[in-house]
Amino acid sequence: MDARLCVLLSAAVLIRCVLLCIGVYQDQNLQLKYTDVDYHVFTDASRFITQGQSPYERSTYRYTPLLALLLTPNVLLSAHCGKLLFVGCDLLSALLLFRLLVLRGSSRSSARVYCGLWLFNPLTIGVSTRGNAESLLAVLVLSSLLCLESRRRTSAALLFGLSVHMKIYPVTYALPIALSLTGAPSRGRGLIQNLLRCFNRDLLQFAAVSGSVFLALNLIFYSMYGWEFLQESYLFHLTRRDIRHNFSPYFYMLYVTAEHRWSGVLSLVCFLPQLLLLLLSSLAFRSDLPFCCFIHTAVFVSFNKVCTSQYFLWYLCLLPLVVSRLTLGWRRGLGLLLLWFVGQALWLSPAYYLEFEGWNTFALIWIAGLLFLLINSLILGQIISHYRPADAQLKKTD
């Protein structure tokens, strides 16, 4: 392994270990706990599994039983095993990013710098050490992309099917992956011929393998836990009306219409802007799969009905692959990064007064959420306009 990369990983491990120790002290001695409430939900669900019961006996557990199974060491060995797993996935994600960056033409020295964007990102470190499972998804998504870039399509399909089972959002990558496997349409052929050309061997094999993995896991857990598994793992997220304050531009609308009969329909309508933008971005950026997946995820998170800080990791794990091909100057890049943090700070201020002081700041939170959406849209526009794919870079070099 690259010696300098080992130094980076060692420093990243040290930082995370220190925070894990601080978290243990804070949980035991301070009123404000370090460990995220979701981690306790995971652990309780794992406890029910070890007792031969359903993980859904734990209220608010709305994930696949596979996650609870992975975290049974929390119950059998130590309550900190899950956090160690998530930290390990953080480090593995950095290694996957390094391999992807080198495979996509970055020098090893540049790849190390870009990996640092993930390893030393405060949000990345905080989410995993507090006990959120997002780094598991990062590993699965990055592994799928690495296998696709390496033309190991069967392995990619297995990992993709598993990632969609673990959390539904990677299903939005299905169209970009399908388009990348079919290639560009030929102008000399008719519409029907181009459509038939889409159903090639690679695409059919990928769909069959990934679909089989997804269906097999669902059938296994459905046979064990019945309809409750489908409801809590998948259907709940489609009709979810989360009226708690979050970054979503829809949260206040869903909050004030929560008692109306048509609020359920309204929550489904909120998916339409997402679907339209995902379709357009798939067609526009199909030639570069990692970049297309990054745009997809950023759009999905920004326009989702529920948007919390941990969701940002869904696209931040792909950001190093994008930054490596940006022509943005470092000053403009830092300015956009600062603007992104300012947008969060403007939201966190009224959120603090609502949560800790009891003030009615719902309207201010909603306005801050709209502003944060505008900032995200501006940053995405800058990234798209300054992104140069590999073929463009090669032409410029020649």
Side-chain angles (χ1 to χ4, degrees):
M1 186 188 296
D2 189 292
R4 294 183 180 178
L5 182 60
C6 286
V7 173
L8 286 178
L9 290 172
S10 299
V13 169
L14 180 61
I15 292 171
R16 285 162 172 79
C17 287
V18 169
L19 281 175
L20 287 173
C21 293
I22 291 174
V24 172
Y25 175 83
Q26 184 172 332
D27 289 341
Q28 293 176 351
N29 297 280
L30 300 181
Q31 185 176 2
L32 181 62
K33 306 304 181 184
Y34 184 80
T35 300
D36 194 283
V37 67
D38 283 347
Y39 190 70
H40 299 298
V41 173
F42 301 156
T43 303
D44 291 344
S46 299
R47 184 173 293 106
F48 281 116
I49 283 185
T50 61
Q51 296 170 353
Q53 301 180 60
S54 167
Y56 302 107
E57 292 293 326
R58 176 43 161 108
S59 61
T60 72
Y61 182 78
R62 297 189 174 98
Y63 311 90
T64 169
L66 185 57
L67 177 59
L69 281 169
L70 288 173
L71 297 183
T72 50
N74 278 11
V75 180
L76 302 176
L77 298 176
S78 167
H80 308 300
C81 287
K83 289 186 179 181
L84 293 175
L85 172 64
F86 301 152
V87 166
C89 288
D90 263 354
L91 305 176
L92 180 55
S93 296
L95 290 174
L96 292 168
L97 282 169
F98 183 79
R99 291 191 61 184
L100 269 165
L101 286 162
V102 172
L103 187 63
R104 285 163 60 81
S106 295
S107 66
R108 298 178 76 85
S109 59
S110 297
R112 286 192 295 269
V113 173
Y114 299 134
C115 285
L117 295 175
W118 171 261
L119 284 173
F120 301 107
N121 186 322
L123 186 59
T124 303
I125 297 169
V127 166
S128 60
T129 56
R130 293 187 68 224
N132 287 109
E134 306 308 330
S135 57
L136 277 173
L137 265 294
V139 166
L140 292 173
V141 167
L142 292 171
S143 298
S144 302
L145 289 176
L146 179 60
C147 289
L148 282 168
E149 292 284 297
S150 306
R151 300 188 180 279
R152 291 178 289 166
R153 296 190 177 96
T154 302
S155 298
L158 286 168
L159 291 163
F160 181 70
L162 178 57
S163 67
V164 175
H165 172 78
M166 288 294 293
K167 191 161 282 189
I168 198 66
Y169 85 86
V171 75
T172 63
Y173 303 155
L175 181 56
I177 290 174
L179 291 174
S180 71
L181 292 175
T182 58
S186 174
R187 294 182 179 179
R189 299 181 181 182
L191 176 62
I192 296 178
Q193 288 178 312
N194 275 317
L195 287 175
L196 292 174
R197 181 173 174 269
C198 290
F199 296 96
N200 58 25
R201 178 182 175 183
D202 290 336
L203 177 58
L204 294 176
Q205 181 181 0
F206 188 93
V209 173
S210 59
S212 297
V213 171
F214 179 74
L215 288 174
L217 288 169
N218 286 342
L219 286 173
I220 290 171
F221 290 125
Y222 180 78
S223 66
M224 295 173 67
Y225 305 114
W227 179 258
E228 191 175 29
F229 155 66
L230 294 178
Q231 172 61 34
E232 299 296 338
S233 297
Y234 300 112
L235 300 179
F236 167 80
H237 299 284
L238 293 177
T239 58
R240 180 179 185 179
R241 289 172 288 169
D242 197 326
I243 60 174
R244 294 174 299 174
H245 57 286
N246 61 78
F247 286 95
S248 172
Y250 302 118
F251 114 83
Y252 191 62
M253 177 183 67
L254 296 175
Y255 171 74
V256 297
T257 60
E259 302 301 323
H260 291 275
R261 289 178 298 175
W262 41 267
S263 59
V265 176
L266 188 62
S267 67
L268 290 175
V269 172
C270 292
F271 284 116
L272 293 179
Q274 276 180 318
L275 293 175
L276 178 60
L277 290 171
L278 292 177
L279 175 61
L280 293 175
S281 59
S282 296
L283 297 173
F285 308 114
R286 56 181 293 171
S287 60
D288 191 327
L289 181 59
F291 180 67
C292 190
C293 289
F294 169 80
I295 297 296
H296 256 236
T297 316
V299 166
F300 182 86
V301 170
S302 299
F303 287 87
N304 202 34
K305 291 184 297 179
V306 181
C307 179
T308 61
S309 296
Q310 66 196 56
Y311 289 14
F312 301 155
L313 291 189
W314 296 356
Y315 59 80
L316 288 178
C317 71
L318 299 170
L319 183 61
L321 303 176
V322 175
V323 171
S324 65
R325 293 183 177 178
L326 288 182
T327 59
L328 275 171
W330 67 268
R331 289 184 179 178
R332 180 175 292 188
L334 286 177
L336 292 175
L337 180 62
L338 179 62
L339 185 62
W340 188 69
F341 280 115
V342 166
Q344 292 184 60
L346 291 174
W347 182 92
L348 288 169
S349 179
Y352 168 83
Y353 283 104
L354 171 67
E355 199 161 332
F356 294 99
E357 302 295 335
W359 295 10
N360 183 358
T361 57
F362 281 104
L364 289 175
I365 292 173
W366 174 60
I367 293 171
L370 292 176
L371 180 60
F372 189 59
L373 175 64
L374 181 63
I375 290 172
N376 280 321
S377 301
L378 173 64
I379 293 174
L380 272 181
Q382 288 291 302
I383 288 175
I384 290 171
S385 62
H386 289 86
Y387 186 79
R388 296 295 179 267
D391 53 352
Q393 287 182 332
L394 287 174
K395 289 177 183 177
K396 186 177 180 180
T397 310
D398 293 341

